[in-house]
Amino acid sequence: MFPRLLTTTVKVAAILLAAILVVGLLLIFRPRSPSPEPVPQAGQCWAGEAPVRVDCEESHRLETVAVGEIGATLAGGGTPPKRSELSGEFAECGRTAVRYLGADWRTLHVTLLLTAPSHEQWQKGSRWYRCDALALGDELDPVTDRRGSMRGNEDGTAPAPDLQLGCAGHVVVLNAFIGTRRRPCTDPHDMEFVGIAETASPDFPPEFPATADALEVAFGAECRARARTYTSMPADLLDRRHVTVASRPTGEAATWTGGDRSARCWVYLDHPVTTSLYGRGDLP
């Protein structure tokens, strides 16, 4: 009996050992939940058409000025959200960018772009969004690469000097207007930035204002108010001096539905001047 009992005991032990080994192998080789990719950080710079991270002292086009978490509703989706769905994230992007850039981005030669995780990153659990600043040039050179950070003072009072909106001039070649060029306000210029206008409500107008009439409805009255405040010129004097007030949307049709519903206000003069119009009360 004893040898038989011993044999049975050995068999049971062998079965238990085999079961333990199987469980161990299953634990080793079972599919693991994918781990999220590293979260981007403010201060990182990106170069190239399919952006790769580079040192900010190298030539680059994008700079991450803020990073946030995608809202719970969108975060539960099976695929990354579209840009047009990130209106709340865009608003937060704009607010936090002020601390990095040192000023409201809309008063700078800058536009903001949101980058959501790729499909692969999304499947691994990433739910961040990257708020990137893109440095702008002018109509003749719309996008410009740069060396050095765009970072300004965190109190929102001192942006990088080369980013500040100011004065510009029309460029005419062979009697044909070909665009505008940034110029110091002490150089001859016939355009000057006077402020930011926003639509009366986030629901109006529902479509991107792609025509002059639509721009007038959306931003005309507020831009004229900005021009009067900036120049200290009353409305009737602005009219008599042939000062044209116009608006240029800060974004485009693709970003309108995502919350980018503001415009930069400019005054256009019928003759060049060599000083800023700020607080002058009349034209030089």
Side-chain angles (χ1 to χ4, degrees), residues 141-200:
D141 296 302
V143 178
T144 178
D145 289 339
R146 65 181 282 118
R147 294 179 185 271
S149 175
M150 301 183 201
R151 192 187 293 271
N153 286 359
E154 292 187 1
D155 62 2
T157 59
D162 66 307
L163 293 179
Q164 288 184 282
L165 286 168
C167 298
H170 288 74
V171 178
V172 177
V173 176
L174 299 176
N175 296 319
F177 170 70
I178 62 171
T180 61
R181 177 70 76 190
R182 293 171 61 178
R183 290 177 180 160
C185 290
T186 51
D187 287 357
H189 62 275
D190 52 14
M191 297 171 54
E192 188 163 350
F193 170 72
V194 296
I196 294 296
E198 298 181 282
T199 54

Side-chain angles (χ1 to χ4, degrees), residues 120-142:
E120 181 180 1
Q121 291 169 329
W122 191 264
Q123 297 307 313
K124 290 182 179 180
S126 294
R127 293 297 184 269
W128 48 260
Y129 67 84
R130 214 174 72 209
C131 175
D132 293 337
L134 171 67
L136 302 177
D138 48 41
E139 287 186 349
L140 298 181
D141 296 302

Side-chain angles (χ1 to χ4, degrees), residues 69-81 86 89 122 125-128:
E69 288 290 326
I70 291 175
T73 301
L74 293 174
T79 57
L86 296 171
E89 287 77 4
W122 191 264
S126 294
R127 293 297 184 269
W128 48 260

